[in-house]
Amino acid sequence: GAGVSQTPSNKVTEKGKYVELRCDPISGHTALYWYRQSLGQGPEFLIYFQGTGAADDSGLPNDRFFAVRPEGSVSTLKIQRTERGDSAVYLCASSAGTLVSYNEQFFGPGTRLTVL
Amino acid sequence: AQRVTQPEKLLSVFKGAPVELKCNYSYSGSPELFWYVQYSRQRLQLLLRHISRESIKGFTADLNKGETSFHLKKPFAQEEDSAMYYCALAYFGNEKLTFGTGTRLTIIP
């Protein structure tokens, strides 16, 4: 079946604008994760959903970042008043269950966000 | 807070030579350790995790709690091993993966 998909693959925006990044997880996966990867760094955790609810949003850097998963499938990461420092690759991953239950996180191809 | 350190940003190895990618972690409890790999123009994918104790594509990694290390090893490098490798950590009750900064491995023909 299809893996995790993310749209758009690339997004260029101007400082101060609002952006939405979409993630379609693998069908049936209850867990969904967002990570951010800046140049030369490893992925950095942002938020984790179990079903429709955000189980851990401790990685969101500030209140300009928000994510939703209203029906427990597709998720949208929303960034308000974008700043140049938000430029990064945003990765989404999904899993059939928890890591400690030996479930694997499957990653999408990422959305490259560039804030001019 | 947990932390993962990969001291080598770049590593070049001749084909057929042994490979060792270093990973050290800091976490006071019992961690779950992973190696992820990203081949050119492909997405990030799990290579192996310590709990499964498997050898994947000839790679193995042993968790050394005394040295807080989880180094990735392969006895004979192949050209197709060229990729970006990330070490990552998680622990019970915390679903997020904490990644290192990665090591770019280049196999010289």
Side-chain angles (χ1 to χ4, degrees):
Chain A
V4 177
S5 61
Q6 294 186 245
T7 53
S9 55
N10 279 284
K11 176 71 178 176
V12 180
T13 191
E14 294 180 342
K15 180 175 177 292
K17 300 287 190 184
Y18 168 82
V19 296
E20 288 190 353
L21 311 179
R22 176 187 168 108
C23 173
D24 280 86
I26 293 171
S27 178
H29 279 191
T30 56
L32 186 145
Y33 310 79
W34 284 99
Y35 293 84
R36 176 169 73 172
Q37 187 170 19
S38 302
L39 195 61
Q41 301 297 314
E44 181 184 22
F45 171 80
L46 295 176
I47 187 169
Y48 154 57
F49 287 90
Q50 185 62 249
T52 60
D56 182 353
D57 65 357
S58 62
L60 294 177
N62 52 58
D63 61 5
R64 294 187 298 106
F65 289 75
F66 189 70
V68 295
R69 195 185 185 200
E71 297 177 357
S73 179
V74 170
S75 176
T76 305
L77 179 66
K78 308 180 181 196
I79 310 174
Q80 297 178 320
R81 304 183 305 280
T82 51
E83 299 178 356
R84 293 195 181 90
D86 299 335
S87 296
V89 175
Y90 288 81
L91 296 170
C92 177
S94 73
S95 173
T98 60
L99 275 176
V100 293
S101 299
Y102 313 128
N103 289 288
E104 179 180 343
Q105 289 186 21
F106 292 88
F107 282 81
T111 293
R112 182 176 298 277
L113 175 66
T114 304
V115 181
L116 301 177
Chain B
Q2 67 275 16
R3 185 182 177 91
V4 176
T5 302
Q6 293 180 253
E8 303 139 327
K9 274 202 167 317
L10 303 170
L11 182 64
S12 294
V13 173
F14 283 101
K15 179 182 171 182
V19 176
E20 182 178 49
L21 287 84
K22 291 185 166 49
C23 172
N24 288 88
Y25 67 90
S26 61
Y27 177 63
S28 55
S30 293
E32 177 75 14
L33 273 295
F34 305 79
W35 277 99
Y36 277 80
V37 61
Q38 189 165 25
Y39 300 102
S40 180
R41 286 187 283 278
Q42 293 188 27
R43 58 188 68 190
L44 195 62
Q45 60 185 281
L46 179 65
L47 179 62
L48 56 80
R49 62 191 296 174
H50 94 271
I51 198 75
S52 61
R53 299 188 183 278
E54 290 178 305
S55 172
I56 306 294
K57 300 185 179 183
F59 284 98
T60 59
D62 291 317
L63 179 60
N64 186 323
K65 291 188 177 181
E67 295 182 359
T68 59
S69 68
F70 188 57
H71 303 326
L72 184 68
K73 300 178 184 179
K74 184 170 182 175
F76 307 104
Q78 299 172 285
E79 288 184 62
E80 54 264 34
D81 296 330
S82 292
M84 194 76 185
Y85 291 80
Y86 294 95
C87 183
L89 175 153
Y91 55 91
F92 181 79
N94 191 317
E95 285 301 300
K96 63 186 180 188
L97 287 166
T98 298
F99 286 87
T101 52
T103 297
R104 182 170 297 283
L105 176 64
T106 301
I107 306 303
I108 305 165

